[in-house]
Amino acid sequence: MNNALLDDYLRRLRLPTVGRNYAKAAKEAEGNNVTFQEYLCSLLEQEVQSRDENRRKERLRRAQFPVSKTLDNFKFDEVPALDKKAVLQLFKGTYLADNENIVFIGPQGTGKTHLSVALGVQACADGMHVRFHTAGQLLHQLVEARDEKGLLKVQDNLAKFDLLIVDELGMIDCKPDEAYLLFEVISARYEIGSTIISTNLEFKDWNSVFCTQQLTTALLDRLIHRCHIIQVNGESYRFKESVRRKKKKEVA
């Protein structure tokens, strides 16, 4: 068998995992009396799994998460008022299939960002295209694009994501024209994609971000129509962690 020729064919067919594994797999197949079909299926399965993993990693890279978070390391016992059953239901992903939204509301440090990112990571694993922004980052990107005459391109790009995550809504100070930019991005996703928003503001206070009651009402009308509203109330998890670390140092 001409291995150089086989390697060339595999390279031209873009089957790198098969190229790396076929020789070792052939020896194992021969020793275990594996049929040709089983041998071939095993090699192709490895190729498919490798490609799926590479695509997952690429989706995670494009999502631009600030950190990687999963549901496994979320401490529900630190936020006893949180509806755990409702949160676990969200991780099944049906909200994405139905183009529904999620709003996490609660004080700073209670895990809203953690849950938002974890849902985004899960969506990436499920084959969805996700983008994460803090509200400040998103606003800056939109204003910059507007000033450089590239707003439509940015808006179109954001609309293509299956899931858009807007973190820390309420931590920005908008001018009316800037608030309208945020409004356009979020409202444009109505019933065509899902949006996750985390905020420390109750809905009645959102006009502090969107400047006018009219704009706020119009946004909430679209956002909440198909929405899971999750209250994340409790003491700051980061503050409690800081206290625990301090106590450990004092004991040591």
Side-chain angles (χ1 to χ4, degrees):
M1 177 65 192
N2 188 335
N3 285 353
L5 183 59
L6 178 57
D7 289 341
D8 180 57
Y9 287 158
L10 291 172
R11 183 167 52 252
R12 290 165 64 183
L13 290 170
R14 298 180 181 179
L15 297 171
T17 304
V18 173
R20 288 192 300 270
N21 298 335
Y22 76 85
K24 179 181 178 182
K27 290 181 180 179
E28 293 176 351
E30 185 178 3
N32 295 323
N33 197 29
V34 173
T35 66
F36 174 76
Q37 289 85 351
E38 290 171 332
Y39 163 72
L40 180 60
C41 183
S42 175
L43 279 177
L44 293 178
E45 181 181 37
Q46 292 174 50
E47 185 71 47
V48 168
Q49 290 175 344
S50 176
R51 292 188 181 194
D52 286 346
E53 179 62 14
N54 288 339
R55 291 189 187 103
R56 185 189 69 84
K57 289 179 179 178
E58 177 61 16
R59 288 191 294 271
L60 287 172
R61 186 192 68 79
R62 292 190 67 211
Q64 299 182 357
F65 297 121
V67 291
S68 181
K69 296 288 186 179
T70 66
L71 181 63
D72 292 339
N73 53 29
F74 184 81
K75 298 182 179 179
F76 281 97
D77 56 333
E78 298 283 355
V79 196
L82 179 63
D83 187 343
K84 182 177 180 180
K85 183 178 179 181
V87 171
L88 294 179
Q89 183 65 33
L90 293 175
F91 277 85
K92 295 181 179 180
T94 54
Y95 75 97
L96 288 165
D98 295 333
N99 295 321
E100 295 173 342
N101 306 312
I102 302 170
V103 178
F104 291 112
I105 303 175
Q108 295 299 313
T110 52
K112 301 185 301 299
T113 299
H114 186 140
L115 289 173
S116 298
V117 171
L119 281 165
V121 169
Q122 182 62 52
C124 288
D126 292 337
M128 301 295 175
H129 296 283
V130 181
R131 175 57 57 87
F132 176 98
H133 283 297
T134 65
Q137 289 170 340
L138 179 57
L139 182 61
H140 176 76
Q141 181 183 24
L142 293 171
V143 170
E144 187 176 71
R146 180 197 62 188
D147 294 345
E148 296 178 358
K149 312 300 182 184
L151 181 59
L152 184 59
K153 182 179 179 180
V154 171
Q155 290 173 328
D156 287 345
N157 181 55
L158 290 169
K160 292 176 183 177
F161 288 99
D162 301 303
L163 174 62
L164 175 66
I165 301 174
V166 182
D167 194 38
E168 297 181 345
L169 185 72
M171 304 296 288
I172 54 174
D173 184 19
C174 289
K175 299 175 182 177
D177 60 322
E178 295 173 344
Y180 189 74
L181 296 178
L182 279 179
F183 167 82
E184 284 190 312
V185 166
I186 297 172
S187 62
R189 300 180 57 77
Y190 179 58
E191 294 191 324
I192 64 169
S194 294
T195 304
I196 295 178
I197 293 177
S198 72
T199 180
N200 62 329
L201 298 176
E202 296 293 336
F203 290 129
K204 63 182 178 62
D205 299 319
W206 279 32
N207 57 355
S208 66
V209 175
F210 293 98
C211 299
T212 69
Q213 191 60 52
Q214 183 180 12
L215 196 63
T216 303
T217 300
L219 175 69
L220 290 177
D221 182 60
R222 292 166 174 79
L223 183 70
I224 299 176
H225 177 217
R226 302 170 62 85
C227 187
H228 302 267
I229 302 168
I230 307 294
Q231 294 285 342
V232 191
N233 294 318
E235 297 179 42
S236 169
Y237 171 73
R238 289 190 290 269
F239 177 75
K240 288 188 285 187
E241 276 289 291
S242 177
V243 171
R244 280 194 288 264
R245 285 195 298 269
K246 182 178 180 181
K247 287 182 178 179
K248 285 182 180 179
K249 289 180 180 179
E250 290 174 350
V251 170

